[in-house]
Amino acid sequence: MDTRERLIEATRDLLWDRGYVGTSPRDILARAGVGQGSMYHHFTGKADLAAAALQRNADQMRASGEAVFDAETGVYDRLVAYLTRPRQALKGCRIGRMSEDPDIVADPVLRRPLDETLGWYRERLAELLAEGQASGELRAGFVPRQVAAAVVAVVQGGYVLAKAAQSTEPYDDAVAGAVALLATLREDAR
């Protein structure tokens, strides 16, 4: 891994663990194992490096989401696969967690990957739900955009509940509840 990549990866991890304010340039340099000149050779400063790290998180999240959404299975199975894929519930989402950081939310450049990624998930899930309605796999009569927003809220809110309880149980319960609700959309279509 070259220096630029080590800096981005170190920043990704530190942002996830500590947030933006809790991540100092010194911490980034130490984690990456590079000198100060290296950081400023590749980035204009902490914000520029954080923007690159957040964009990397966003790109990776979308790629992993597409792998699930594009699978050659039924719509319901893809929705369940999205909800039940392995996650580190106690650490939270690499993107969603950043919405708790006031410095990231206040900066349009740093906030952009959050807005775009969470918006992309809502849109992509809405498309998938509409596909299920069109194929008859899911019942008619619900608004795909609203159900998609609820699914994203279950995942992101599940992280918050798990962290608050210091247990994955609330996250697992939220996901199981969402899967059960989605099952009713499928059962009603039969």
Side-chain angles (χ1 to χ4, degrees), residues 10-31 46 91 97-98 100-101 104:
T11 304
R12 289 179 68 227
D13 290 342
L14 288 166
L15 287 173
W16 198 21
D17 290 341
R18 303 178 186 177
Y20 185 75
V21 172
T23 300
S24 72
R26 179 175 287 134
D27 295 333
I28 294 168
L29 297 172
R31 175 81 57 103
K46 176 183 168 182
K91 286 190 82 169
R97 185 175 188 285
M98 297 300 104
E100 300 168 23
D101 196 312
I104 288 180

Side-chain angles (χ1 to χ4, degrees), residues 18 43 89 183 186:
R18 303 178 186 177
F43 302 96
R186 183 175 67 160

